[in-house]
Amino acid sequence: MSHPLIETKLFLPSPRPGLMPRPRLRERLDRGLAAKLMLVSAPAGFGKTTLLVDWLASAPPRAGTSARAAWLALDAADNDPARFWRYVVAALRTAVPGAGEGALALFGDSQPPPVEMVLTTLVNELAAVDADIILVLDDYHVIDSPSVHEGMAFLLAHLPARLHVVLATRSDPHLPLPRLRARGDLVEVRAADLRFTTEEAASYLNGVMGLELGAADVRALEGRTEGWIAALQLAALSMTGREDVSAFIVGFTGDDRYVVDYLVEEVLQRLPAEVQDFLLRTSVLDRMNGSLCNALTGRADGRSVLETLERDNLFVVPLDDRRHWYRYHHLFADVLRGRLLDERPGLMDELHTTAATWHEQEGDIAEAIQHSLLAKDFTRAARLVETVLAAFRRDRREATLRGWLEAMPERVLRSHPVLGNALAGARMSTGAFDGVDELLDATQEWLRSGEYQPMVASHASAVEDEEYRRLPADLAVHRAGIALVRGDIEETVAQARAALDQVGEDDHVTRGAAYALGGLAAWSTGDLDTAHASYAACLVEFELVDHVSDVLGCSITLGDLEVVQGRLRQAARTYRSALDLADRHHAPVLRGRADMHVGLAARHRETNDLTAARRELSRSRELGEHAGLPQDAYRWRVVMAGIREAEGDVEAAIDLLDEAERLYVGDFSPPVRPVAAVRARTWARHGFVDAALDWADGVGLSLDDPLTYLREFEHLTFAKVLVAEYARRGDGGDLSHVVAFLDGLLLVAVEGRRGGSVIEIQVTRALALQQLGDLPEALHALGAAVASAEPEGYVRTLVDEGAPMATLLLAAERHAPSAYIGRLRSALVPASTSGTPSSPSRPGSADGMPVDPLSSREREVLRLLDTELNGPEIARELVVSLNTVRTHTKNLYMKLGVTSRRAAVLRGKELDLL
Amino acid sequence: MDEPHTATGPVSDPGWYRIRVQGRLEKRWSTWFDGMSLTPERDGTTVLRGRVGDQAALHGLIKKVGDLGLTLLEVTHETPDTSAGPRR
């Protein structure tokens, strides 16, 4: 990991000596271990952190085991989800070393892992840990990023039993609190609970601080501070070592000034002038050590002052065991900052500038950028951001970049076009396309104005120089990306080409991105040769820089293209070499790996090696969800549906396709094989022609459609459905139109050199011509299909067509026998599985038992058909989709040999199924 | 997230606001509250008033109230006319 974690964020503070025990609150927190979430929600200075530290230190062994604490102090930079979850995993690893290995590995990817995937992995890993873990997220109020909140809500919804989450916050978090509360999953400690009671105030002031105050004085102080702990602490500090304690109390309780203001003034007045100055100057720091303090004070005693402050209880909190890093109590720091702004206007910016310089010298560029922005020193911030751009982009920290860049005035972005361009990229990659065009236009304008060369010369650093050199190509990649999002293929191709013209030979990431964008655009137009060449080039570029996940991503697309081209063997090689590469490079499981096995499974299925296909699907599943790209879940089910169908279990196949449709996630790839069309083919092959026709109607298909590659799969499906409809009705009708439509599809596929499509179209033509009664032409078409299909080992594309194909193959064998046709014919004899033959499964006879026994689900549906419930109500009753109910209904109609609900119920009663 | 420096964010809603908090806050806090004027009232509360750039700035001010642990009593929107007029 190139960005080291800040260890102090993970430091579990030790309880201060002489801490006042608060048993009522400890008990409540103990109870919280049975809930999902403990929320400690109160304003600044209510002792939230102190309470949790005390509780964790005092925690007795619970239920025979001792809970382990994982502590994370959040800051505003944690609104970047990538950073937030990396720190959460790191915190958990302080409690359970080695935990979350898989989740951590996901961050090593060059593609940003979806948060859900990280969390799913993490939850599974933590569920296996044999210990109670208490995860404390302190200062959760700094989080305002919706994606972090969503991730937290997801984590809470899937929380392992032995993980306990504690949030300490000044404001209630954006989480489903009412629901958690209603289910008893939330235990809260709020301001009213945290306030010191009079008894607690007495025991604190007299017991812990040793002030020996009378009951009336304690009550007066408690009243004036309203039990606010920070104020009571300040008051105690003001009174310590004072002779006129009573006078102080009278003065304080008789004053109506903002209580902290009054008390800080009291405390400061009693400190030496140089310590007052130290406090004011260093108040601008969120974290400090001696050396950093010295830079801000111009003195050399930073370390010893910090130690003195800690000893005197002056609101400094140690952030590590070595007394190296400290921070101020937040409320105290804010009050000091308020005074600084008032007393030394202008000094604040100067201090931030000094802090930026110190951090830059220490090599902590992120902190230096933060302070430069606070100092409003945008020139420096811009220069610093330029130096870390490449690293932050590589680590997918675009949200952080976006935050910094959006804090800069527009003029700065305009004069630093690399930054304007980077902001465009960061916005696009975080899903925001607003204002992107304007930013890209500004960059382009600047490039055109010719300021380019002199600026490069004036930039000293090689890193920045590199950024400026790759600007034109990077700009073109962004333009191509946004054009693709808008569906403007021509512009995508043009910009991708422009990027390739301008990019340096050694800038492999930009080259890879440009090739991929060009490839996608070519794919959408059906120019598969160009698409394939682009993707092959893209793969090489990513391989050169070891972006293995990207290589896997490219391989899926390459494999898809090769299948459409009819190069099944090459597709299998593509998947295998990607797997080899992944094996060579990375120990942890890489995203995209599972997809390779799914691709191989699909190839095995096509060659009718169902055992091998199932084996690959199991391997894919064994790797776990995080090994798959987002598309893997639905693709896996589509392939499994094909296997089940081949084994004769049509119902299971349809259920899997229903699931696949629900799980479908798009990416940039054109949706050339919609799941709904795959399902319509399955329906048509197994007698559910009406459902298939409904589908065609729903997606608006017609024989007059223009023939584009994007709809080729749907068009071919439509033709198959019409052929099945003809077979069902048995009249000639429009079938000659269907053949003409198929002729058109064939021509376009041949022109586009889509060999795989050609085979499928010829198979369908052969079946249509057979139905039309033109056997010689049918055999001719089949012969053409077989000639291309045999060398690549196709089986299922032909055999899936069932009975009509059996007839045709028989005729072909008589006409010109061959070993391949013999193989195809034997594949049509049902496989020896538990299922039933895939064909011909026409409705059962009117007497005797149905052809196939009803499944338990079908019996349930049948039972509900014998009620008043309508389709949607039945679906709700069974908690399935309406589509699934329809499928079950059609299946059981077929098995019972009926065509109506009434007939199904009657038949069910005859057969004692009801 | 708010993007104050771009024109593409939500339409800004400029206007004058009064924010009332519990306790007497001295004038010195004016800078902290982005230059809002601070007026202590007889009832032991303090009214912050001034022009607020947009909703994001208003939320920022309210957060600053919270950072100091002050009790927020009231936030009201005023039109510039009434605020410019003579007071009581």
Side-chain angles (χ1 to χ4, degrees):
Chain A
M1 247 180 256
S2 50
H3 287 274
L5 294 164
I6 302 167
E7 294 292 334
T8 53
K9 285 169 65 71
L10 308 176
F11 177 70
L12 169 61
S14 343
R16 301 181 66 86
L19 204 68
M20 199 187 66
R22 309 186 74 185
R24 64 188 171 97
L25 298 178
R26 276 188 194 167
E27 276 158 29
R28 181 168 315 176
L29 290 169
D30 281 343
R31 269 210 315 283
L33 288 174
K36 283 189 172 180
L37 175 65
M38 283 172 258
L39 183 65
V40 183
S41 188
F46 271 83
K48 300 181 288 292
T49 306
T50 309
L51 171 71
L52 290 172
V53 166
D54 170 58
W55 174 61
L56 290 174
S58 72
R62 293 171 183 94
T65 60
S66 63
R68 307 180 192 187
W71 186 275
L72 173 57
L74 296 165
D75 57 59
D78 295 316
N79 279 297
D80 183 337
R83 176 175 150 125
F84 180 92
W85 292 110
R86 255 182 59 193
Y87 268 107
V88 168
V89 174
L92 290 166
R93 286 164 74 86
T94 63
V96 182
E101 198 70 56
L104 211 56
L106 287 173
F107 293 113
D109 263 16
S110 67
Q111 297 190 15
V115 166
E116 261 191 36
M117 185 186 294
V118 174
L119 292 179
T120 310
T121 310
L122 183 64
V123 164
N124 289 334
E125 289 177 307
L126 291 177
V129 172
D130 186 26
D132 279 273
I133 308 173
I134 301 173
L135 171 65
V136 180
L137 303 179
D138 198 14
D139 293 329
Y140 192 80
H141 56 264
V142 299
I143 300 298
D144 52 18
S145 147
S147 26
V148 173
H149 291 310
E150 279 162 26
M152 278 302 295
F154 181 89
L155 177 65
L156 289 172
H158 301 88
L159 201 69
R162 300 186 70 182
L163 178 61
H164 313 277
V165 178
V166 185
L167 302 182
T169 176
R170 287 185 193 173
S171 54
D172 281 0
H174 294 267
L175 292 170
L177 297 182
R179 196 165 63 210
L180 289 164
R181 229 176 249 136
R183 292 185 183 166
D185 285 335
L186 177 66
V187 165
E188 291 168 274
V189 178
R190 309 194 63 92
D193 310 308
L194 285 161
R195 273 180 216 286
F196 272 165
T197 60
T198 312
E199 294 74 46
E200 282 174 327
S203 108
Y204 170 71
L205 294 167
N206 292 334
V208 177
M209 300 303 286
L211 285 166
E212 298 173 0
L213 302 176
D217 280 346
V218 169
R219 255 199 316 279
L221 285 170
E222 196 261 333
R224 171 74 169 99
T225 59
E226 296 172 42
W228 191 15
I229 297 174
L232 276 166
Q233 282 176 330
L234 279 165
L237 214 55
S238 308
M239 290 182 281
T240 312
R242 199 191 272 266
E243 284 175 10
D244 52 346
V245 168
S246 300
F248 168 82
I249 292 175
V250 170
F252 174 47
T253 55
D255 192 288
D256 64 350
R257 250 189 298 167
Y258 167 46
V259 55
V260 175
D261 217 7
Y262 183 97
L263 292 169
V264 166
E265 178 115 16
E266 285 290 327
V267 171
L268 287 181
Q269 267 175 13
R270 302 175 64 207
L271 293 171
E274 66 270 19
V275 177
Q276 288 186 33
D277 184 63
F278 180 98
L279 289 171
L280 285 182
R281 284 173 175 269
T282 55
S283 69
V284 304
L285 302 170
D286 288 329
R287 265 184 286 270
M288 58 205 159
N289 63 16
S291 157
L292 176 54
C293 290
N294 290 342
L296 265 57
T297 58
R299 302 164 56 93
D301 55 359
R303 193 182 167 121
S304 67
V305 173
L306 285 169
E307 280 167 4
T308 313
L309 291 175
E310 191 200 352
R311 199 186 54 230
D312 294 346
N313 279 328
L314 268 163
F315 299 95
V316 298
V317 182
L319 291 175
D320 52 38
D321 282 329
R322 294 161 297 146
R323 300 296 188 262
H324 187 53
W325 284 95
Y326 292 88
R327 69 168 172 85
Y328 287 117
H329 188 281
H330 297 307
L331 178 65
F332 189 62
D334 277 333
V335 173
L336 289 174
R337 283 173 204 169
R339 297 182 76 92
L340 178 68
L341 275 174
D342 177 57
E343 289 172 16
R344 322 246 183 108
L347 185 57
M348 187 87 123
D349 290 354
E350 195 187 312
L351 291 167
H352 278 301
T353 302
T354 312
T357 307
W358 187 89
H359 281 293
E360 189 183 349
Q361 280 161 1
E362 292 288 309
D364 188 345
I365 304 300
E367 277 294 313
I369 291 169
Q370 203 57 48
H371 279 291
S372 303
L373 290 172
L374 288 168
K376 300 180 215 53
D377 184 351
F378 298 113
T379 313
R380 182 206 205 106
R383 175 175 62 74
L384 291 172
V385 173
E386 280 176 357
T387 63
V388 296
L389 265 187
F392 268 64
R393 266 200 303 246
R394 188 185 55 230
D395 295 345
R396 297 282 153 172
R397 299 276 309 279
E398 273 101 348
T400 300
L401 285 176
R402 194 179 155 194
W404 286 338
L405 293 170
E406 287 184 345
M408 293 185 189
E410 223 169 287
R411 60 176 169 81
V412 176
L413 295 180
R414 263 203 304 272
S415 61
H416 293 77
V418 162
L419 297 183
N421 186 53
L423 178 54
R427 283 210 186 138
M428 282 165 74
S429 72
T430 49
F433 298 95
D434 290 347
V436 168
D437 278 322
E438 289 81 347
L439 287 163
L440 296 178
D441 289 346
T443 307
Q444 189 130 31
E445 191 46 47
W446 184 84
L447 283 172
R448 202 176 288 138
S449 72
E451 278 176 71
Y452 184 32
Q453 290 310 325
M455 274 295 276
V456 172
S458 72
H459 274 267
S461 126
V463 182
E464 292 158 50
D465 191 49
E466 173 63 27
E467 286 292 330
Y468 275 86
R469 235 166 14 91
R470 41 190 303 260
L471 187 56
D474 213 28
L475 174 70
V477 167
H478 287 155
R479 290 260 197 226
I482 204 157
L484 190 69
V485 168
R486 293 193 178 124
D488 185 345
I489 301 300
E490 251 173 68
E491 175 72 2
T492 310
V493 173
Q495 292 292 350
R497 201 164 288 149
L500 286 170
D501 286 344
Q502 301 175 65
V503 69
E505 281 298 320
D506 50 351
D507 186 354
H508 301 294
V509 176
T510 308
R511 293 180 76 87
Y515 278 129
L517 286 163
L520 279 174
W523 187 5
S524 324
T525 60
D527 182 359
L528 297 202
D529 285 350
T530 305
H532 191 274
S534 299
Y535 265 93
C538 160
L539 194 146
V540 169
E541 299 292 341
F542 285 131
E543 202 173 335
L544 281 169
V545 282
D546 284 348
H547 282 209
V548 181
S549 262
D550 290 319
V551 172
L552 293 175
C554 284
S555 300
I556 294 166
T557 310
L558 262 187
D560 281 349
L561 292 169
E562 283 156 358
V563 169
V564 180
Q565 289 177 322
R567 299 157 67 199
L568 296 189
R569 292 179 198 281
Q570 178 56 39
R573 274 198 290 277
T574 298
Y575 299 132
R576 288 219 178 82
S577 61
L579 282 175
D580 285 348
L581 177 77
D583 282 341
R584 282 201 304 279
H585 275 265
H586 281 266
V589 175
L590 274 167
R591 210 139 64 91
R593 224 197 137 110
D595 307 65
M596 298 299 112
H597 290 292
V598 173
L600 284 171
R603 304 291 69 78
H604 286 308
R605 193 203 86 89
E606 178 58 50
T607 58
N608 207 31
D609 187 347
L610 301 185
T611 318
R614 273 182 175 278
R615 192 178 59 227
E616 293 295 339
L617 285 189
S618 319
R619 277 188 193 153
S620 158
R621 187 148 272 187
E622 279 158 19
L623 288 172
E625 248 175 281
H626 58 279
L629 292 166
Q631 289 73 31
D632 188 51
Y634 94 85
R635 294 174 73 120
W636 191 96
R637 281 164 181 81
V638 170
V639 177
M640 187 50 113
I643 295 174
R644 300 308 296 269
E645 187 194 355
E647 290 170 350
D649 192 344
V650 178
E651 188 186 344
I654 298 289
D655 281 349
L656 281 161
L657 291 173
D658 285 346
E659 266 184 57
E661 195 177 32
R662 278 198 299 278
L663 293 168
Y664 175 79
V665 215
D667 53 10
F668 280 121
S669 310
V672 287
R673 285 174 69 97
V675 175
V678 176
R679 185 176 51 205
R681 285 183 180 196
T682 314
W683 277 333
R685 285 198 284 263
H686 297 281
F688 311 120
V689 182
D690 287 335
L693 284 168
D694 283 351
W695 160 81
D697 212 31
V699 290
L701 288 168
S702 126
L703 293 181
D704 303 324
D705 287 342
L707 302 180
T708 64
Y709 166 59
L710 283 182
R711 299 206 82 176
E712 181 181 70
F713 189 85
E714 287 183 308
H715 280 142
L716 183 55
T717 307
F718 184 43
K720 285 175 184 287
V721 172
L722 291 176
V723 173
E725 164 71 355
Y726 170 79
R728 183 175 70 167
R729 287 189 308 168
D731 64 58
D734 291 323
L735 201 53
S736 59
H737 290 93
V738 177
V739 173
F741 181 66
L742 284 164
D743 290 345
L745 281 176
L746 182 63
L747 192 70
V748 179
V750 169
E751 274 172 5
R753 297 156 59 94
R754 297 191 291 273
S757 304
V758 168
I759 293 173
E760 288 184 44
I761 295 167
Q762 287 289 29
V763 164
T764 313
R765 273 186 80 238
L767 296 173
L769 289 160
Q770 177 183 233
Q771 291 289 357
L772 204 57
D774 190 346
L775 191 61
E777 273 304 306
L779 286 177
H780 190 69
L782 182 68
V786 162
S788 316
E790 183 177 358
E792 293 290 334
Y794 280 88
V795 175
R796 298 291 342 165
T797 293
L798 292 98
V799 166
D800 279 342
E801 297 295 341
M805 179 54 71
T807 317
L808 200 54
L809 283 171
L810 184 65
E813 189 159 59
R814 284 191 190 132
H815 183 71
S818 80
Y820 180 56
I821 290 187
R823 264 219 321 282
L824 292 174
R825 291 200 60 216
S826 58
L828 268 161
V829 178
S832 57
T833 61
S834 56
T836 49
S838 61
S839 65
S841 49
R842 291 286 167 251
S845 53
D847 45 44
M849 292 302 286
V851 174
D852 306 327
L854 297 193
S855 70
S856 60
R857 208 55 165 174
E858 286 160 4
R859 289 185 71 147
E860 272 182 85
V861 173
L862 180 60
R863 186 178 53 75
L864 292 168
L865 288 178
D866 192 20
T867 64
E868 298 294 303
L869 299 182
N870 63 24
E873 286 163 348
I874 293 177
R876 266 200 299 282
E877 180 76 21
L878 295 175
V879 202
V880 296
S881 73
L882 183 56
N883 256 337
T884 306
V885 170
R886 284 192 183 132
T887 309
H888 289 311
T889 309
K890 279 172 180 136
N891 266 324
L892 73 91
Y893 281 13
M894 183 187 77
K895 289 179 178 176
L896 297 173
V898 297
T899 52
S900 75
R901 181 169 179 170
R902 209 175 107 77
V905 171
L906 283 174
R907 185 89 182 102
K909 285 180 175 157
E910 275 171 35
L911 295 170
D912 283 334
L913 296 169
L914 279 168
Chain B
M1 289 237 191
D2 303 305
E3 301 160 19
H5 73 271
T6 63
T8 53
V11 181
S12 61
D13 175 25
W16 289 74
Y17 280 88
R18 292 161 58 95
I19 301 175
R20 187 191 297 274
V21 298
Q22 184 66 55
R24 184 157 66 78
L25 210 53
E26 285 175 284
K27 297 226 186 304
R28 61 154 73 220
W29 285 98
S30 172
T31 327
W32 170 266
F33 287 109
D34 302 343
M36 300 277 275
S37 74
L38 269 63
T39 316
E41 305 275 320
R42 288 175 183 282
D43 57 359
T45 66
T46 302
V47 172
L48 288 67
R49 50 211 310 278
R51 197 182 169 83
V52 170
D54 56 14
Q55 287 294 301
L58 179 63
H59 285 286
L61 282 171
I62 292 170
K63 188 177 165 293
K64 286 184 175 187
V65 169
D67 285 344
L68 294 185
L70 292 165
T71 303
L72 179 63
L73 296 175
E74 188 181 20
V75 180
T76 37
H77 182 242
E78 297 184 330
T79 62
D81 290 338
T82 58
S83 67
R87 298 188 53 216
R88 276 181 272 181

